[in-house]
Amino acid sequence: MILTSKLIGNSNKGSLITSGTKKRPDGRAFDEMRPLKIEAGVLERADGSAYLEIGDNKVLAAVYGPRELHVRRLLKPNMAILRCRYNMAPFSVEDRKRPGPDRRSVEISKITTEALNPSVFLEKFPRSTIDIFIEVLQAEGGTRCAGITAASVALADAGIPMKDMVAACAAGKSDGQVIMDLSEWEDKEGEADLPIALMPRTGDITLLQMDGHLTSDEFQEALDLAIKGCQIISEEQKNAIKNRYGD
């Protein structure tokens, strides 16, 4: 699926919603996602991998395992454990980021693990580990959702048995309007951000966070938009696997 919205650069960042037209600074409608591209199997030396672009976000995910776990204090005799490392490259943001983990990357690594855990049949691989590495090469808002989405495709590419691939999308509020798939500007300057992760086949939400303020009606509207975004992303995830392995 090719999404046809076209970004029009950063020169229009002065207003979040174009007055009178219900368009956003990048030309999207309030319920429209940024252009999306997902490719599976991009790394030869990983058991599974994926590359994702959404807007100007560029994310790589690699999966290793299941493999034997030698750290005895982490070992679970009846299931595998999922370990995730989320990292932003120093050149991924406008001001060079200091290399190495920081508080934000540790938090996102944890919530990514929790968002993906319910989708994997971990009980099929006792005493083992499945390691996921997410590298954000370029960031433009919504990197935690992009990382979860790419990691789930990489798990499928590795042949890990799953209930469903997890798709993640954020909705939020800016300039008084509830919108889907916030850009970096909308994320920083908007009034609320609501990222979720969803298993579309079962309808189970595996991640829900909220930053900012929404009324009950706005929350429901944002949640509906985020779920709609996850469903769109889910189709693109399936297409990525089909393109690599066929129907």
Side-chain angles (χ1 to χ4, degrees):
M1 176 178 179
I2 303 296
L3 301 180
T4 55
S5 62
K6 182 180 180 181
L7 296 176
I8 55 176
N10 298 328
S11 59
N12 295 320
K13 285 185 174 178
S15 175
L16 297 180
I17 307 293
T18 304
S19 178
T21 65
K22 294 298 180 186
K23 295 283 187 180
R24 292 146 72 180
D26 57 11
R28 288 184 289 153
F30 70 90
D31 59 349
E32 185 177 2
M33 295 185 58
R34 290 170 288 183
L36 173 64
K37 170 187 172 184
I38 306 176
E39 186 176 353
V42 295
L43 301 173
E44 290 186 5
R45 295 174 183 173
D47 294 325
S49 61
Y51 173 72
L52 180 148
E53 290 183 6
I54 183 164
D56 283 340
N57 286 313
K58 298 182 179 181
V59 178
L60 264 176
V63 168
Y64 293 86
R67 55 186 178 181
E68 187 178 357
L69 180 60
H70 298 289
V71 184
R72 294 185 63 84
R73 63 184 173 81
L74 298 178
L75 185 148
K76 292 189 176 181
N78 58 342
M79 65 172 63
I81 64 165
L82 209 60
R83 297 190 296 187
C84 180
R85 178 183 178 272
Y86 166 100
N87 183 59
M88 295 185 71
F91 48 80
S92 63
V93 288
E94 191 167 341
D95 295 326
R96 179 181 177 274
K97 178 185 173 296
R98 185 174 181 178
D102 54 22
R103 179 179 295 183
R104 180 176 179 275
S105 64
V106 171
E107 178 214 339
I108 294 180
S109 296
K110 180 177 183 296
I111 66 165
T112 299
T113 302
E114 293 171 350
L116 294 172
N117 252 326
S119 70
V120 180
F121 289 104
L122 296 172
E123 64 275 15
K124 291 184 177 292
F125 307 100
R127 306 174 66 87
S128 63
T129 181
I130 300 168
D131 292 319
I132 302 170
F133 298 90
I134 298 169
E135 291 290 325
V136 178
L137 306 178
Q138 185 169 290
E140 195 239 342
T143 57
R144 76 185 59 193
C145 290
I148 291 169
T149 299
S152 196
V153 175
L155 283 166
D157 183 50
I160 307 291
M162 302 168 69
K163 299 170 187 171
D164 196 1
M165 283 188 285
V166 178
C169 181
K173 182 181 176 184
S174 65
D175 207 19
Q177 176 68 55
V178 177
I179 56 176
M180 176 195 289
D181 184 30
L182 283 68
S183 66
E184 183 177 23
W185 170 259
E186 292 164 337
D187 188 11
K188 289 179 178 176
E189 303 297 330
E191 295 135 62
D193 179 27
L194 179 73
I196 72 163
L198 176 76
M199 291 196 292
R201 186 178 300 169
T202 63
D204 292 340
I205 292 175
T206 61
L207 165 72
L208 193 153
Q209 296 183 296
M210 193 174 97
D211 183 23
H213 300 281
L214 294 171
T215 66
S216 296
D217 290 343
E218 288 171 342
F219 175 84
Q220 187 60 56
E221 185 180 357
L223 182 60
D224 290 344
L225 275 182
I227 290 173
K228 178 182 175 184
C230 288
Q231 291 167 340
I232 294 171
I233 290 170
S234 174
E235 292 304 311
E236 192 67 14
Q237 289 177 307
K238 294 174 188 173
N239 288 338
I241 296 299
K242 288 177 182 176
N243 290 339
R244 177 157 167 75
Y245 296 104
D247 292 333

